[in-house]
Amino acid sequence: MTGKDIPGLIEAKDSIPQGTKINVTFLGNEDLEMRVAAAKAVRDLGFVPVPHISARRIGSQQQLEEFLGRLQEVGATEHVFSVGGDPATPEGPYPDSLSVIRSGVLQKYGVREVSIAGYPEGHPDIADDVLWRHLEDKSAALKEQGLDAVILTQFAFDTDPVMSWIDAVRARGIDTQIRVGTPGPAGIKRLLGFARRFGVGANAMIVKKYGFSLTNLMGTAGPDRFVTDLASLLAEDPSSGRVGLHFYTFGGLLATSDWVRQFTAAQA
């Protein structure tokens, strides 16, 4: 959810299981009060807040500590997501999420688990070798500091690159839990817009495999086929280790939580 999504969270609260992790963004058009209020709402409604720390948007160590201090006041620092962020030029001393992790500041405010980003289809602005080196370095740094880790991936429409990437993660000796990103049900145009922005493969063959066509952009699409296929592939490959899902709620919290509830019920 974003800092503006508190009404949507309240609307969806009865469809989301208590104890569910809900990430809270750190966007350029949000401020400290919005981020803290959203994290507090998540906690107050019985869920687990996972506030984002956008390294390149943090102007100073003092600003980072102020943010974490405010989150700690509302009981929202045990789980965080440390990510590099969008600005081409860092606004302060943290050029990437690794520098935030290595700062030693997180532990001061009660952080126990840090999510880090994974990119099964690469990143439009970062070379693959750099992505792999940073994933390895962040995993090692978290282990050295006694912090639990989760790898949270960019969303995808195709299970093949996701499975190949999971195999490559495990081949590097990283046994951290992976949460594979997938969009909740959303408008097809909206999904394709996010895919272009984040460098996610979305050609005609891929999106047909996912469950929609580029010739009909008026409807909505959900992750039914992707989730079903991914589950089958993971069941066939026990070396994949601990793998779960993370839902990007492009179509809204209620639509996503309703889809999860209905899909889960259908599997029972």
Side-chain angles (χ1 to χ4, degrees), residues 17 28 34 47 50 53 73 115-116 119 137 165 174 183 201 210 228 230 238 252:
M34 292 172 65
F47 309 117
V50 185
I53 300 172
E73 289 173 2
S115 296
I116 54 178
Y119 300 93
D137 289 348
W165 179 85
I174 300 172
Y210 184 80
T228 300
L230 183 64

Side-chain angles (χ1 to χ4, degrees), residues 32 53 59 83 107 114 152 156 161 163 169-171 178 188 196 231:
L32 175 65
I53 300 172
V83 65
Q107 297 93 318
V114 179
L152 187 62
M163 290 300 298
V169 171
R170 300 312 187 206
I178 295 171
I188 294 171
R196 284 191 293 270

